[in-house]
Amino acid sequence: MTQAGFSTKGKGRGFGLSILSDLINASPNISLSTRMENELFTQTLIIGGERNV
């Protein structure tokens, strides 16, 4: 999902999660939690503090 250009919506999309992944990897005070439950995709972005990976 975080690969640039990946999309289930069609051509010319799929860059948002890739950009977000790059930002998280470059910043030690940003973390991301991703969940999939009952066909619901949820992401929680935490900015500040220390990364808990």
Side-chain angles (χ1 to χ4, degrees):
M1 285 190 313
T2 60
Q3 181 181 356
F6 175 85
S7 176
T8 59
K9 298 177 184 174
K11 195 173 182 178
R13 299 173 176 262
F15 296 98
L17 293 179
S18 173
I19 292 168
L20 179 59
S21 180
D22 291 345
L23 288 171
I24 291 166
N25 290 331
S27 303
N29 64 337
I30 299 176
S31 63
L32 179 68
S33 170
T34 303
R35 290 180 47 178
M36 180 74 149
E37 187 175 324
N38 297 326
E39 299 183 25
L40 178 65
F41 177 77
T42 305
Q43 290 192 300
T44 304
L45 180 67
I46 301 169
I47 302 172
E50 295 182 20
R51 182 184 295 184
N52 295 322
V53 178

